[in-house]
Structure formats: structure tokens, C-alpha cells
Amino acid sequence: MEKDFEYQQMLAGELYLAGGILPEHKSVHGKKIAQQINQTPIADKAKLKALVKQLFGKTGKNYYVTPPVYVDYGRHVSIGENFYANMDCIFLDVNRITIGNNVMLGPRVGLYTAGHPLDSQIRNEDQLEFGLPIVIEDNVWLGANAIVLPGVTIGKNSVIGSGAVVTKDIPADSVAVGNPAKVIKTLGEAERKYWQTQKDKYLAAKEKFNSLD
């Protein structure tokens, strides 16, 4: 395979010229697979799962992506076990997107690794651009319409509120909301106890309901 300077620059997070990427490294293949996913009947879960496995560079055994889904390359995305993405999610993966285990994406979440120079001449006349990797660690939930920008890491167990725009790293065990997203709460024992109580109430209600049969 011929060496590809622009493609290597892109994955290294350096400036690159998208039009100079060699045909074998272009993004069209992933877009075609995403198009197949979006045209597959929603009831055909086996085919959808197989297509997602073709689309992403790495998957676990248990995952589900609700169509429609949109990618740049697709193959630069890796997902862990128990991954779920709701409808209309966007993976703009000119650089790598690494997602851990037990991660949930709400509808229309956007993971954007792509960036453009702030200088207009370099951006428009030279047409140079760049991409920085995104990392989402284990047990993270991103609410609907949340946006994650290039170079961001979201720490494990964190929750990103709906509509948040994440421009900087988020520590583990955090709740972050707003534009730009800011941490408003650190998750800990109080939340664990509260949600355990809610779970116990649910189980009691379910047991009572089933006893009426």
C-alpha cells in the first residue's frame, strides 16, 4: 500500500489536506456502510449488528446502534461492551474516537474530532484542517443533543446533560451541563444510596404486581 502523508498527518492530529488523502484511505467506504445501516429494516437486528461491526474499527460482543447513524470514516471508532447509541448520532472520526464499556449515547449526540484553523487564510485558501482524538471512558451517559469537541476526554461514570457542549476534559464521577459544559456535581455515595432506594421500590412494586396474577 502506498504511503499516505496526508492520512498519517490526520491521524497524528497535525494539519493535513483532506483532498490529498489517497483513494484507498478515503472516507467513502464507511459512509456507504452507514447508508446501508440507515436503509436496513429496523426489525432486522442481526443485519444491523453485522453492519455496525463492519462500520466500526472495534466492537465488543454486546452493542446496538439505532438508525440512522452518521460517520466520517467509521473505522476510526472503537466501542467497548454494552454500548448503546440512540438515533441520529454522529461520529465525525477524522481522528480516533475511543469509547469504553457500558456507554450510552442519547439521540443526536455528536462526537466531533474534526477542527479547522482559526486563521481564515489557512482555513479557506490553504484548506488545511486537523483532528484530535476523543476518549469516552467506562460507564458514561451522554444526554440527547450533547456535543463533544476535538481532543476531549470524559472520565468514567460521568453524565453529560442534554444539549451540553463539551469543550474540555471532564473528570470521572461528574455531572456536566451547559455550553460550554461545566461540572455541577460530583457523583458519590449519596447518589448510589438514592438510586438503590428507587430500585428497591421498583422491585417491591413489581413483586406486588406479579402477585396479583
Side-chain angles (χ1 to χ4, degrees):
M1 182 179 292
E2 186 177 353
K3 292 183 178 180
D4 191 335
F5 172 77
E6 302 296 351
Y7 186 68
Q8 292 174 352
Q9 284 283 106
M10 181 182 77
L11 291 178
E14 304 292 342
L15 288 177
Y16 73 99
L17 185 64
I21 293 174
L22 298 179
E24 59 265 34
H25 291 143
K26 293 284 189 182
S27 63
V28 66
H29 179 68
K31 291 181 171 70
K32 287 181 177 179
I33 298 174
Q35 187 176 54
Q36 291 181 62
I37 292 171
N38 298 342
Q39 294 173 349
T40 298
I42 195 70
D44 196 346
K45 292 186 177 181
K47 183 177 180 180
L48 288 170
K49 186 171 183 179
L51 287 169
V52 170
K53 191 170 186 65
Q54 292 179 39
L55 177 66
F56 290 156
K58 180 183 177 183
T59 70
K61 294 181 179 179
N62 184 33
Y63 55 87
Y64 187 75
V65 174
T66 306
V69 61
Y70 305 96
V71 301
D72 204 335
Y73 287 81
R75 63 180 179 268
H76 300 149
V77 178
S78 66
I79 59 174
E81 291 292 347
N82 305 316
F83 174 76
Y84 174 73
N86 212 320
M87 65 187 77
D88 269 342
C89 286
I90 299 174
F91 301 83
L92 201 65
D93 58 323
V94 302
N95 208 313
R96 292 177 178 86
I97 297 174
T98 305
I99 298 174
N101 300 322
N102 308 308
V103 171
M104 299 193 302
L105 308 184
R108 297 175 178 164
V109 164
L111 306 179
Y112 302 128
T113 67
H116 299 272
L118 297 181
D119 181 83
S120 62
Q121 178 176 329
I122 294 176
R123 182 174 66 246
N124 297 325
E125 296 181 21
D126 298 319
Q127 297 185 344
L128 291 170
E129 53 191 282
F130 66 92
L132 300 175
I134 289 173
V135 177
I136 299 175
E137 296 182 352
D138 295 346
N139 309 315
V140 169
W141 169 28
L142 280 76
N145 292 292
I147 292 173
V148 182
L149 296 186
V152 165
T153 294
I154 298 177
K156 64 181 181 179
N157 307 320
S158 290
V159 176
I160 307 301
S162 295
V165 179
V166 187
T167 62
K168 296 180 180 179
D169 291 353
I170 301 297
D173 303 299
S174 299
V175 176
V177 301
N179 181 7
K182 296 182 179 179
V183 175
I184 61 167
K185 188 174 188 177
T186 299
L187 299 170
E189 186 65 16
E191 282 71 31
R192 192 197 67 80
K193 288 182 177 179
Y194 172 80
W195 289 107
Q196 184 62 49
T197 299
Q198 297 305 306
K199 177 183 174 181
D200 292 343
K201 287 173 62 178
Y202 160 77
L203 292 174
K206 185 175 183 179
E207 182 178 5
K208 181 178 180 181
F209 178 83
N210 289 336
S211 70
L212 298 176
D213 293 344

